[in-house]
Amino acid sequence: MAAMERLMEDIKRQPISLTEVIRARKAVYNRLTPSPLLEYIGLSELIGASVYVKHENHHPTGSFKIRGGVNLMSHLKARDVKGVITFSTGNHGISIACAASWFGVDSVVVVPQNNNPAKNRMIRQSGAELIEAGGTFEEAANVVESLCESRGLYYVHPANEPHLINGVGTGFLEVIEDLPDVDAVIVPIGAGSEAAAAITTLKNINPGIEVYAVQSSSSQAAYLSWKKGVIIEAPNSTFAGGFATGIAYELPFSIYKENLADFVVLSEEEIYQGIALAGFYTHNLVEGAGGAPIMAALKLKDKLKGKKVVLQFSGCNASSDEIRRAYQHSYFSSGYKK
C-alpha cells in the first residue's frame, strides 16, 4: 500500500505545461483522431461574431475527457498499474473506464445514486465495475477513498491529475492549429480540467486569447470560488452532470482563478435552451454542459462582437428525459432571437 501511495504522489506531482500537452499528443493520437472545428453561419449571425464549434462530442465516448483518460492511462500502464478507481457523474467515469479497457487495466467507477442512466450504461459497457453510492458527486468521492485503500487501486481524481489536464490540452492545440487567429474560447466548468487545459495551452501560445467559463447557477462552486479568489463549497443540484460539482478543485482552480476573461452562470432553463439551440443550429445532440457555451456567448455578445469565437461542445451524453425536455422547447424549432 505504501508503494501505491508513493506512486500516486509521484504521478500527481507531474508538471502541467504546454510542453507536456505537446508530449501527450503521441498517446492521445494512438487512440483518437482530432475532433472537427466547424463554423456555423447561423450561430455567427445570432451572436454577432464568427462562431466556430469544437466538436468534442464526436469522440467515441461522447466527451472531451477521453483525451485525458488516454494520456493518464498510458502513464499508469508504463508504471505497471493493474487497477484504478475514480468517482464521477458520468463523462470522466466513461473516459477512465474506456481508456482502462484499451490499456488492459481494471477499473472501478463510483457514481452518485440516481445518476444519468445513459452515462451509467456506457461505463458498464466499457468494462468497468460500476458502484452507485452517495447522493452527490462529493459523497461518491468518500466511497472511493475507502475502496482505494481496501483494494489497493490507483485513485484517479477527476480534476487533480496533471496527466488528465495535459491530455485534454491536445484539443486546444487543434483549435489553434485550425484557427490560428482565434480571439476567444468558451468552455464549461465542472471539476475544471477543461478550463485549466484551455488556459495552459492557448494562453502560453498567445496570451491575448480570451478564455471564458460557464457553469450552472444551481451548482456554482467554481464560479463563486473564482469570484472570491479562494476555494469554497456551494449547493450542488443541477441536472447537468458536466456541471455537478459542489466544490472547486485545487489543481485546476490554481490555473483558472486568475486567467479567465469572464465567468457566466446559467439557470437550469437556460441550460436546456442551450441543448435546444445546439440541435437547431448545428444538428448535434449535446448534453447540458455541452450546449451551455451557446447561451454563455449570448450573454457575452457585447464582448464577443466581431471576434473569432470557439464554443466547446464538451459532451453529448444526455439522458433521454433531458433531450426530450430540451427539444420540446420552442427554441429548438425557431432559433433564438434576443
Side-chain angles (χ1 to χ4, degrees), residues 5 10 18 23 27 34 51 61 102 111 127 135 141 163 198 237 241 263 285 299 312 321-322:
E5 290 175 354
D10 181 44
L18 178 60
R23 286 176 178 164
V51 177
T61 57
W102 288 345
V111 300
H163 291 309
S237 61
F263 204 136
L285 184 154
K299 290 178 176 285
Q312 188 86 339
D321 288 341
E322 290 164 4

Side-chain angles (χ1 to χ4, degrees), residues 32-276:
L32 304 171
T33 57
S35 64
L37 180 70
L38 303 177
E39 183 176 10
Y40 289 94
I41 301 303
L43 284 175
S44 296
E45 293 175 348
L46 179 68
I47 294 166
S50 297
V51 177
Y52 298 75
V53 170
K54 182 60 171 169
H55 282 288
E56 292 295 281
N57 56 307
H58 287 188
H59 287 301
T61 57
S63 93
F64 76 96
K65 289 182 180 286
I66 188 61
R67 294 177 182 270
V70 168
N71 189 48
L72 174 62
M73 216 56 61
S74 70
H75 286 274
L76 296 183
K77 184 68 174 180
R79 303 290 288 270
D80 201 32
V81 171
K82 305 298 185 184
V84 298
I85 187 168
T86 193
F87 64 100
S88 175
T89 54
N91 285 335
H92 167 69
I94 296 167
S95 162
I96 294 303
C98 185
S101 70
W102 288 345
F103 284 88
V105 175
D106 293 333
S107 61
V108 179
V109 179
V110 181
V111 300
Q113 295 169 341
N114 302 314
N115 196 51
N116 181 326
K119 293 180 177 180
N120 287 356
R121 182 177 65 253
M122 289 187 68
I123 291 170
R124 288 193 181 99
Q125 288 176 343
S126 297
E129 177 187 348
L130 181 76
I131 298 174
E132 298 178 72
T136 66
F137 190 63
E138 289 72 34
E139 289 176 9
N142 295 332
V143 175
V144 168
E145 292 175 4
S146 61
L147 288 175
C148 179
E149 295 178 4
S150 63
R151 298 196 188 186
L153 300 170
Y154 180 94
Y155 179 3
V156 179
H157 194 279
N160 297 329
E161 288 281 357
H163 291 309
L164 288 183
I165 295 173
N166 289 326
V168 171
T170 60
F172 296 103
L173 280 179
E174 294 167 12
V175 166
I176 207 161
E177 288 172 348
D178 290 345
L179 191 66
D181 54 348
V182 58
D183 295 305
V185 177
I186 303 178
V187 299
I189 284 190
S193 63
E194 199 167 19
I199 290 164
T200 298
T201 306
L202 298 174
K203 295 188 80 67
N204 277 292
I205 295 173
N206 178 0
I209 297 174
E210 299 167 336
V211 179
Y212 294 89
V214 57
Q215 190 173 51
S216 169
S217 61
S218 296
S219 299
Q220 55 178 324
Y223 168 74
L224 294 174
S225 298
W226 172 78
K227 195 77 172 174
K228 294 181 181 294
V230 294
I231 290 177
I232 62 172
E233 297 184 26
N236 177 16
S237 61
T238 183
F239 80 89
F243 290 140
T245 55
I247 192 170
Y249 290 101
E250 295 87 350
L251 187 55
F253 179 72
S254 69
I255 296 171
Y256 69 70
K257 69 177 181 179
E258 295 179 353
N259 290 293
L260 293 174
D262 205 348
F263 204 136
V264 175
V265 291
L266 302 176
S267 68
E268 298 293 272
E269 181 64 16
E270 287 173 324
I271 295 171
Y272 278 114
Q273 291 170 10
I275 295 173

